[in-house]
Amino acid sequence: MESSKLLGYMLGLTLRVFKNQMVSEFKEREIELTIEQFVILSLLNSNCDLIQRDLASQLQKDKSIIVRQINCLLESQYVVRLTNKDDKRVKNLILTKKGFEKLNQMKEIASEVSRKLLTGISENELEIFQNVLLKIQENGGVEEDIFNCGFNQLK
Amino acid sequence: MESSKLLGYMLGLTLRVFKNQMVSEFKEREIELTIEQFVILSLLNSNCDLIQRDLASQLQKDKSIIVRQINCLLESQYVVRLTNKDDKRVKNLILTKKGFEKLNQMKEIASEVSRKLLTGISENELEIFQNVLLKIQENGGVEEDIFNCGFNQLK
DNA sequence: ACTATTAGTTGATCTTTGCAACCAATTTAC
DNA sequence: GTAAATTGGTTGCAAAGATCAACTAATAGT
């Protein structure tokens, strides 16, 4: 099996397609957040116990990146950062009302874009597709999906 | 169907897993190219008629990015850039022997990484996975795969 | 011939990323 | 209980990646 060659190419291109569409939709509707920030808000909304360390490991990014992303979200008042009472090293991250509303707006856009990009793909194919993605992540050592932020839990 | 929410998240995370593994392998074996450059060399090797415009559209990136990537590859003498005789606007890109050898070295690494990441995934699932990726790209308006740089054509 | 288009290049600028150093709080090891 | 190690978070800096607009040179369209 020679899937080897271009797994990265295929994933990269597909992601880029998705991102480009999202970015242009965001621009059109004057949403000033990036896709990354949208993802972070989504994760925070899925599980309000997530701290910056968790975001870093879930997203496989350096913790410093997360800090800065959160800083942006703070400035626009989409989240609040509070020092945890039990462990003062830890900062809890809480979505504000404003953040929640913006998130829902972005989710709708993501829904539209996804619907558009996934047309012609059967339920079954999509299921397998998701499982393969999960499997790759697992094989790559991504922590088990603590909070099940899979595909299917959106209201 | 609520796959909407995190298509971007799933793709992004999976790509990141792949990239992280590749980067650490590249580092270990002292390969000083980026994944992007590896992809470009792959594409050039698949089809030597590709010009910079094609690379830009295939990779969905701005042409200026491609120019600069190629400049790097020129400096390290992995490719040569020649003005096309029939149309002097066009530059042909040719892999050097050095580039070809480096490419093969990187391909092997990519094979290993892919093999590792794809363990436990059946032939059939993988096939569907690839088709979904292609379908998404198609729905997103990526040009038809002129030179069939699909999964299965590696030596 | 004049205009529009195309391929490529450059410059300025911005974001993203990665790395290392660092602080403060907490654990651990003795 | 205290010293040392670890952990979560923050900052600075430099490299890489990406964007946008302006520009050249060659070609195509009329």
Side-chain angles (χ1 to χ4, degrees):
Chain A
M1 160 70 50
E2 280 309 349
S3 328
S4 43
K5 187 186 175 196
L6 292 173
L7 176 60
Y9 165 72
M10 290 294 283
L11 285 172
L13 182 50
T14 310
L15 177 62
R16 190 159 267 268
V17 165
F18 178 80
K19 271 196 178 168
N20 285 347
Q21 302 246 341
M22 287 293 284
V23 166
S24 82
E25 288 294 325
F26 275 21
K27 234 175 225 169
E28 208 158 299
R29 309 195 204 180
E30 290 174 356
I31 290 175
E32 77 294 354
L33 294 178
T34 66
I35 311 303
E36 299 303 320
Q37 291 168 336
F38 163 51
V39 169
I40 290 180
L41 287 185
S42 288
L43 292 179
L44 287 179
N45 187 48
S46 301
N47 181 343
C48 50
D49 288 339
L50 286 178
I51 63 176
Q52 298 179 186
R53 161 179 58 83
D54 302 324
L55 290 174
S57 79
Q58 280 294 319
L59 297 172
Q60 298 271 296
K61 297 192 179 187
D62 192 86
K63 50 192 178 160
S64 63
I65 300 171
I66 305 294
V67 171
R68 283 163 189 144
Q69 296 277 24
I70 301 286
N71 285 345
C72 291
L73 293 172
L74 274 178
E75 272 171 40
S76 340
Q77 299 174 308
Y78 292 133
V79 299
V80 177
R81 177 155 50 195
L82 296 175
T83 302
N84 184 294
K85 281 192 175 177
D86 299 331
D87 184 341
K88 283 173 200 150
R89 288 173 305 181
V90 172
K91 303 293 175 67
N92 289 110
L93 301 167
I94 297 150
L95 242 75
T96 62
K97 186 159 176 269
K98 191 180 166 195
F100 185 70
E101 284 165 2
K102 186 63 86 175
L103 175 60
N104 281 332
Q105 202 188 340
M106 293 189 291
K107 270 185 182 173
E108 259 186 51
I109 296 176
S111 282
E112 281 175 41
V113 170
S114 298
R115 200 173 307 125
K116 184 178 156 196
L117 292 180
L118 295 174
T119 49
I121 295 165
S122 75
E123 199 84 18
N124 182 41
E125 286 168 326
L126 192 54
E127 169 108 14
I128 291 171
F129 177 67
Q130 296 165 30
N131 286 336
V132 171
L133 287 174
L134 279 173
K135 187 76 187 171
I136 294 174
Q137 290 167 22
E138 199 182 306
N139 288 338
V142 176
E143 279 173 27
E144 212 49 53
D145 222 355
I146 321 165
F147 50 96
N148 180 36
C149 60
F151 275 75
N152 302 309
Q153 66 156 31
L154 180 54
K155 58 151 178 298
Chain B
M1 154 79 51
E2 279 310 348
S3 327
S4 44
K5 187 185 175 197
L6 293 173
L7 175 60
Y9 165 71
M10 290 294 283
L11 285 172
L13 182 49
T14 311
L15 177 63
R16 190 159 267 270
V17 164
F18 179 81
K19 270 196 179 170
N20 285 348
Q21 303 246 340
M22 286 293 284
V23 165
S24 82
E25 287 295 323
F26 275 21
K27 233 174 225 170
E28 207 156 299
R29 310 196 205 179
E30 289 174 356
I31 290 175
E32 77 295 355
L33 294 179
T34 65
I35 312 302
E36 300 303 320
Q37 290 168 337
F38 164 51
V39 169
I40 289 179
L41 287 184
S42 288
L43 292 179
L44 288 179
N45 187 47
S46 301
N47 180 344
C48 50
D49 288 339
L50 286 178
I51 62 176
Q52 297 178 188
R53 161 179 58 84
D54 302 323
L55 291 174
S57 79
Q58 280 293 321
L59 298 172
Q60 297 271 294
K61 297 192 180 187
D62 192 86
K63 52 194 178 161
S64 63
I65 300 173
I66 305 294
V67 171
R68 284 163 186 143
Q69 295 278 23
I70 300 286
N71 285 345
C72 289
L73 293 172
L74 273 177
E75 272 171 39
S76 338
Q77 298 174 310
Y78 291 132
V79 300
V80 177
R81 177 153 53 195
L82 297 174
T83 302
N84 185 294
K85 280 192 175 179
D86 299 331
D87 184 342
K88 282 173 200 150
R89 288 172 305 180
V90 171
K91 304 294 175 66
N92 290 110
L93 301 168
I94 297 151
L95 245 74
T96 62
K97 185 158 176 271
K98 190 180 166 195
F100 185 71
E101 285 165 0
K102 185 63 84 174
L103 174 59
N104 282 333
Q105 202 188 341
M106 293 189 291
K107 270 185 182 173
E108 260 187 51
I109 296 176
S111 281
E112 281 176 41
V113 170
S114 299
R115 200 173 308 125
K116 184 178 157 196
L117 292 179
L118 296 175
T119 48
I121 296 165
S122 75
E123 199 83 19
N124 182 42
E125 287 168 325
L126 192 54
E127 170 107 15
I128 291 171
F129 176 67
Q130 296 166 28
N131 286 336
V132 171
L133 287 174
L134 279 173
K135 187 76 187 168
I136 294 174
Q137 289 167 22
E138 199 183 305
N139 287 338
V142 176
E143 279 173 27
E144 212 49 53
D145 223 355
I146 320 165
F147 50 96
N148 181 34
C149 60
F151 275 75
N152 302 308
Q153 66 157 30
L154 179 56
K155 61 153 175 293

